[in-house]
Amino acid sequence: MTTVSSTSSSTAASTGSSSLIASGSGTGIDYSALVEASVQKRLSRADRIDTTITANEARIAAYEDMQSLLLAVNTSLDGLRNRSVSTGAGSNLFEERTAYLSGGGSTAAGDVLSVTAADGAETGTYSIVVEQLATRHKIGATTTASQSAALGQSGSLTLGVAGGTAVSVDVEAGDSLTDIRDAINARKSTSGVTASIVKVTDSQYQLILTANDTGKAITLDDGGSGVLNGLGLTDADGGYTNELVAAQNAVVTVDGVRVERSSNTIADAVDGLTFDLYAALPGQTIGVEIGTDLSSIKSAITGFVDAYNAFRAFAQSHQTVGSSGTAGSDATLFADSLLRQVTKTVYDALNAKVTTDDGDTLSLASLGITFASDNTLKVDETALNAALTGDIDAVRTLLGLEMTSSSTDLKLLRYDRSLGRTDFTLDITVAEDGTLSGASVDGDSSLFRVSGNRIIGNDGTAFAGLVLVYTGESGSVDVGFSQGLADRLYTTLNGIAATDSGDIARIVSQLDADNTDMTRRSDDIKTKAEDYRTRLTAYYARLEAKAEAANLLLQQLKYKESSDD
């Protein structure tokens, strides 16, 4: 009997393999294709979810771009709202002041003095003459041949400045000029006197004492020890040996009124104004005009136009329709309801009109700002300049928030939200001791609470965020608010674009949450699909192994039959 030895053929269809290639001795079926088709059918659900996630990520990026652009618009508007920090703004450009200088003859006015005006300072003009500058008292000792050799002086000297705290400095016989300088400077923050050494020639050194502050004379005393005379700071009569610069106060005349101060910075002559004196110019008048800082307002207005146009370009890019009539590839927010709402809101706000107390109607056109054919804004600089220099109060009314009151005793302290009600009559009750006891509108006392002399709008009412100060007696006060274009647009956009609480932030937060949930679902589908791949691969591997074994058995039977024959 002939023995037939058989060698099994290898196959990739082993349990757990990632691909299956059937051998010629098996079924001949492409199991890998079968496995991949079955797995991809399951993965298609994850693919659809991933496509949605990618689309959401694109929308999030577009929303964040829109949010940044709207916040840039609001940044440009903030100072134009005529609100102070307490009423909800970062700055108020209408309250910022600048000084315009003129005169001085052949000397530039700015070389004589500068004037800084505080926010809210009274506008007006002043005539300034700088008669003399304040100077630091400076005295010198007699010269010595060396700054490091012992001077042979001993004793104690006391030095300071008029009105200050004097200090005592001990001098020993072995001390040099440098030692004495260093000993004086060790106490200069207390004494108000600084010592220095000037090299006059190669063989002459001089000790110089200088008052730290202008307008203050140096005081010296040695208690009769003779140290001051020995150093050459004072003469035999106790007078200064070398008074290099006399101490003197600054003297200016403001509208003919003589003002004398010890410093060249004068901040208490006129409320809200600080004068810095640089040079004395007796007999020459410097004109000072304090006015609204029109340059800053103009920059803010043109900055707003630029910020709006940037947003407008963004909006247009997301409303683009291709030749086929469908949205462009970059129009991520095409037909987006929020973008449509924002675009309309901004457009309506910019087309609004404001009526003044005189009945005049103001609009952006009053500032020389109009819409171009593509709905971007353009500025007529000549018209803008004329509006700013011609009637800054009208510009304030057009753009900002203003409160009117029938009583001068009622003042606005804070209003950090959008207007809930623009006109109302406030009925105020004051107790016999002069303290506020209540405030109401239309008989409703729940709208406000009082604290000291403050009337505070309660949360949840139309007056939330409003804080008034009242110093009068019981009575009724008519109150009115006018909300200009800048303030109205700012408060509207803030509700949409505020980083933490705006509409965009809420939508982005929801999309992020949706993506997190969908990512979890997609990952779960992918994990299960891979598990299924492993199981199906093992199943087909077993089938192929059985088919190979059966085929081998069949070949053996056929061989045996042929052998038997």
Side-chain angles (χ1 to χ4, degrees):
M1 181 176 183
T2 304
T3 303
V4 178
S5 70
S6 171
T7 303
S8 336
S9 60
S10 63
T11 177
S14 59
T15 303
S17 65
S18 59
S19 62
L20 289 168
I21 302 175
S23 68
S25 62
T27 63
I29 298 173
D30 185 354
Y31 290 115
S32 294
L34 293 177
V35 171
E36 192 63 29
S38 297
V39 172
Q40 287 302 320
K41 184 176 181 181
R42 297 195 174 204
L43 286 175
S44 62
R45 290 181 296 159
D47 292 340
R48 289 193 294 271
I49 293 175
D50 289 346
T51 299
T52 302
I53 291 173
T54 300
N56 281 353
E57 289 172 343
R59 290 181 66 202
I60 289 171
Y63 278 131
E64 290 176 341
D65 287 343
M66 179 168 69
Q67 183 182 47
S68 296
L69 290 167
L70 293 177
L71 289 175
V73 172
N74 268 9
T75 297
S76 68
L77 290 172
D78 187 53
L80 298 172
R81 301 165 58 210
N82 194 34
R83 290 179 181 245
S84 62
V85 173
S86 65
T87 54
S91 64
N92 185 351
L93 297 179
F94 291 103
E95 290 298 309
E96 290 186 4
R97 300 289 183 257
T98 191
Y100 304 93
L101 306 184
S102 61
S106 60
T107 303
D111 292 337
V112 179
L113 81 159
S114 67
V115 181
T116 305
D119 290 354
E122 291 293 332
T123 58
T125 58
Y126 302 89
S127 295
I128 310 294
V129 179
V130 181
E131 303 288 356
Q132 90 179 14
L133 295 181
T135 57
R136 290 182 174 86
H137 196 201
K138 190 182 293 283
I139 60 176
T142 55
T143 59
T144 62
S146 170
Q147 62 178 336
S148 58
L151 297 175
Q153 302 292 326
S154 62
S156 178
L157 62 88
T158 302
L159 77 164
V161 293
T165 302
V167 301
S168 179
V169 177
D170 293 328
V171 178
E172 298 179 354
D175 287 343
S176 65
L177 207 60
T178 301
D179 294 329
I180 296 173
R181 179 199 63 189
D182 293 344
I184 293 173
N185 287 342
R187 306 289 303 279
K188 65 181 181 181
S189 60
T190 302
S191 68
V193 178
T194 297
S196 61
I197 297 174
V198 175
K199 182 179 180 181
V200 181
T201 68
D202 287 342
S203 60
Q204 288 186 312
Y205 296 87
Q206 187 176 24
L207 180 69
I208 306 294
L209 301 183
T210 305
N212 294 345
D213 297 324
T214 55
K216 296 183 178 181
I218 296 173
T219 60
L220 296 171
D221 185 26
D222 62 8
S225 67
V227 173
L228 292 175
N229 185 255
L231 293 173
L233 287 168
T234 61
D235 56 26
D237 298 325
Y240 301 123
T241 303
N242 297 296
E243 186 174 42
L244 304 176
V245 179
Q248 66 180 22
N249 290 335
V251 178
V252 299
T253 59
V254 181
D255 291 341
V257 178
R258 178 185 169 88
V259 175
E260 183 175 348
R261 299 290 187 273
S262 63
S263 172
N264 287 318
T265 297
I266 303 175
D268 59 353
V270 179
D271 285 345
L273 302 185
T274 298
F275 301 100
D276 286 299
L277 312 180
Y278 305 137
L281 199 63
Q284 285 287 349
T285 298
I286 305 296
V288 178
E289 180 182 356
I290 305 300
T292 303
D293 189 352
L294 300 182
S295 177
S296 294
I297 294 175
K298 179 180 178 180
S299 294
I301 290 173
T302 56
F304 158 69
V305 170
D306 291 340
Y308 166 77
N309 286 344
F311 166 73
R312 180 61 192 165
F314 168 87
Q316 288 177 319
S317 71
H318 286 269
Q319 295 167 343
T320 302
V321 178
S323 58
S324 63
T326 59
S329 59
D330 294 329
T332 307
L333 298 181
F334 185 82
D336 181 79
S337 59
L338 180 61
L339 179 58
R340 288 201 308 268
Q341 172 198 339
V342 173
T343 302
K344 183 178 185 304
T345 296
V346 173
Y347 184 79
D348 290 345
L350 296 182
N351 279 282
K353 293 178 172 56
V354 175
T355 303
T356 68
D357 292 337
D358 297 331
D360 295 332
T361 300
L362 304 173
S363 66
L364 277 185
S366 305
L367 301 179
I369 301 175
T370 55
F371 284 96
S373 59
D374 60 355
N375 279 335
T376 57
L377 293 176
K378 57 183 180 179
V379 181
D380 182 334
E381 188 172 359
T382 301
L384 177 58
N385 290 340
L388 294 174
T389 57
D391 192 350
I392 190 62
D393 289 336
V395 177
R396 183 201 302 258
T397 300
L398 169 64
L399 299 177
L401 176 74
E402 292 192 315
M403 186 189 91
T404 58
S405 170
S406 62
S407 171
T408 57
D409 295 324
L410 185 70
K411 304 293 183 184
L412 175 64
L413 177 62
R414 184 166 63 251
Y415 203 175
D416 56 6
R417 305 186 191 179
S418 58
L419 292 176
R421 186 166 173 180
T422 57
D423 296 285
F424 54 94
T425 298
L426 191 62
D427 297 315
I428 303 171
T429 304
V430 179
E432 292 184 359
D433 61 359
T435 60
L436 288 176
S437 58
S440 63
V441 173
D442 299 330
D444 188 347
S445 59
S446 67
L447 302 174
F448 291 93
R449 66 184 185 278
V450 297
S451 176
N453 63 349
R454 298 183 180 186
I455 301 173
I456 305 168
N458 286 322
D459 289 340
T461 73
F463 305 100
L466 176 62
V467 180
L468 303 167
V469 174
Y470 186 67
T471 55
E473 299 177 351
S474 295
S476 297
V477 179
D478 294 327
V479 182
F481 284 94
S482 170
Q483 191 173 27
L485 271 61
D487 193 62
R488 187 179 307 165
L489 181 57
Y490 181 97
T491 52
T492 300
L493 292 184
N494 191 56
I496 296 169
T499 305
D500 296 324
S501 59
D503 295 338
I504 294 176
R506 287 194 292 272
I507 291 175
V508 168
S509 177
Q510 184 59 56
L511 288 173
D512 279 333
D514 291 345
N515 277 0
T516 298
D517 180 62
M518 287 189 291
T519 298
R520 179 190 56 77
R521 288 163 49 201
S522 176
D523 289 345
D524 185 56
I525 291 171
K526 292 172 184 176
T527 299
K528 290 179 178 178
E530 290 305 316
D531 289 343
Y532 180 67
R533 182 194 299 276
T534 300
R535 294 195 308 273
L536 195 58
T537 297
Y539 171 71
Y540 283 138
R542 290 194 298 273
L543 287 181
E544 183 64 15
K546 290 180 180 179
E548 289 179 356
N551 189 46
L552 178 60
L553 179 60
L554 178 62
Q555 294 300 322
Q556 288 175 338
L557 291 173
K558 288 180 178 180
Y559 181 81
K560 185 176 185 305
E561 289 177 358
S562 63
S563 296
D564 291 343
D565 292 340

